[in-house]
Amino acid sequence: MMMKNRAIPLQSLRPLEWDLGLPCGFERSLIPKYPDHFRLVKASNGDWCLRLMEWREEFAVSALQRSNESSELGDAYRQFKRGRTTLAFPMSFPRGYGAQKKVKAWMEEFQKLPYISPYESCRQIDPNSDLMEKRVVGVLHELLSLTLHKKTKRNYLRSLREELNLPHKFTRIFTRYPGIFYLSLKCKTTTVSLREGYQRGKLVNPHPLTRLREKFYHVMKTGLFYRGKGAALIEKEGILLNNTAEETVENGLDVESDETGDDECLEDENSQAEESDSD
């Protein structure tokens, strides 16, 4: 609904499967169930796109609008709907940054600008104006709000630049507004997060699917921990294992030896765990 032509290329959507909570192969398992809402079409360049078939006005409400509508500032939101006030983005500055007078004055002027919903057309807005910059902030804020973990990789957003009608150097927005966005550079991967989505390092309103992922991660991490302890006890129990093997051979039974060491398996699983952590 935010895309320029109400369509998004599948090659740009697939990298966001994990962040949006989409199932693997959603174009085969999910899209055919809702033919009145979505449809797979071929673009002029031959790429497959997911096109919106039905516009639902009740879904054309941004996360910022919903948060103001349901909060104690309900009267302020009603005034905004009447065109009398503007909506302000929640901001949480790094220590020492927000206390600067110049920054405070700049943010106050930014918050006073009219809020443009990411679901509204921006054709009449000057591309070089401050109003367009606030509209870009609103689009990025809404897109990150739609993700399960309120974050995604910066490169994934770049692949949607044309569809979202964003300027060429829109990634500068993340550093210009550190009170709204947070950039992480871990493992040589740039990740963009919404500051308001986290409090003390944890999600404020976790999605049920994120809870399941955390449980799965805990089970895998615990399994690796106990496997590591078991591998350390192999040397101590070596005599008992050898005696058991000798008794088995004497009884005429075949003994299969595992030539692949547990240490090697442990290293493989640890490397997989580290890769999942970096993602």
Side-chain angles (χ1 to χ4, degrees):
M1 295 179 72
M2 288 190 293
M3 301 301 156
K4 183 169 52 178
N5 297 319
R6 304 290 185 251
I8 178 174
L10 287 181
Q11 62 180 2
S12 299
L13 185 58
R14 284 195 182 99
L16 289 166
E17 284 182 358
W18 174 265
D19 296 329
L20 294 175
L22 295 174
C24 296
F26 65 91
E27 66 272 17
R28 298 184 301 272
S29 61
L30 185 63
I31 303 304
K33 295 181 180 180
Y34 303 93
D36 297 335
H37 296 78
F38 311 101
R39 188 170 300 174
L40 292 175
V41 298
K42 262 193 174 182
S44 57
N45 58 0
D47 295 336
W48 284 99
C49 298
L50 181 64
R51 182 178 296 278
L52 181 70
M53 303 305 298
E54 180 184 3
W55 180 270
R56 301 287 294 273
E57 195 64 35
E58 62 269 27
F59 294 146
V61 181
S62 66
L64 183 62
Q65 291 173 316
R66 288 195 302 269
S67 62
N68 281 270
E69 187 176 15
S70 59
S71 66
E72 298 178 354
L73 302 176
D75 184 62
Y77 181 73
R78 286 191 291 270
Q79 296 293 329
F80 161 75
K81 294 290 287 186
R82 296 169 186 169
R84 298 178 182 176
T85 59
T86 61
L87 288 183
F89 288 93
M91 291 191 179
S92 177
F93 291 100
R95 182 177 299 178
Y97 184 86
Q100 301 178 17
K101 293 182 179 180
K102 291 183 179 180
V103 175
K104 281 187 175 181
W106 176 41
M107 287 296 101
E108 288 177 0
E109 292 298 323
F110 169 79
Q111 298 284 29
K112 290 179 181 178
L113 292 171
Y115 173 74
I116 306 298
S117 173
Y119 301 102
E120 296 179 5
S121 176
C122 62
R123 295 178 181 177
Q124 299 180 353
I125 304 177
D126 182 4
N128 300 319
S129 64
D130 294 338
L131 185 59
M132 176 59 79
E133 184 169 308
K134 186 168 184 177
R135 188 258 175 188
V136 172
V137 172
V139 170
L140 298 174
H141 180 278
E142 177 66 9
L143 188 58
L144 290 174
S145 298
L146 293 175
T147 60
L148 299 182
H149 295 272
K150 310 305 176 188
K151 62 181 180 181
T152 188
K153 294 181 180 179
R154 185 174 60 180
N155 288 339
Y156 296 169
L157 299 177
R158 282 176 174 167
S159 63
L160 296 174
R161 186 190 64 80
E162 293 186 4
E163 285 75 17
L164 291 172
N165 199 18
L166 298 175
H168 286 277
K169 298 180 180 180
F170 75 94
T171 54
R172 293 181 178 179
I173 294 293
F174 301 134
T175 54
R176 282 175 58 83
Y177 297 92
I180 302 176
F181 307 106
Y182 174 77
L183 282 177
S184 173
L185 304 176
K186 288 185 178 180
C187 300
K188 298 181 180 179
T189 301
T190 306
T191 304
V192 187
S193 308
L194 270 183
R195 282 190 176 273
E196 64 187 86
Y198 289 84
Q199 188 174 9
R200 295 182 178 179
K202 295 183 179 181
L203 285 169
V204 177
N205 296 313
H207 191 275
L209 189 55
T210 63
R211 297 183 184 275
L212 291 177
R213 290 176 177 178
E214 289 176 357
K215 290 181 179 179
F216 180 77
Y217 173 74
H218 175 72
V219 170
M220 296 298 295
K221 186 176 181 180
T222 304
L224 288 173
F225 173 74
Y226 284 110
R227 183 178 176 85
K229 291 183 66 176
L233 296 175
I234 289 178
E235 186 176 346
K236 296 181 180 179
E237 299 177 356
I239 299 176
L240 179 61
L241 293 175
N242 291 333
N243 293 337
T244 304
E246 291 176 358
E247 292 176 359
T248 305
V249 173
E250 291 176 357
N251 292 333
L253 298 177
D254 294 331
V255 179
E256 294 181 359
S257 61
D258 184 10
E259 296 181 356
T260 303
D262 287 343
D263 291 340
E264 182 179 353
C265 297
L266 180 60
E267 291 177 359
D268 292 341
E269 292 185 11
N270 282 334
S271 62
Q272 293 176 6
E274 291 176 356
E275 290 178 0
S276 63
D277 289 343
S278 64
D279 291 340

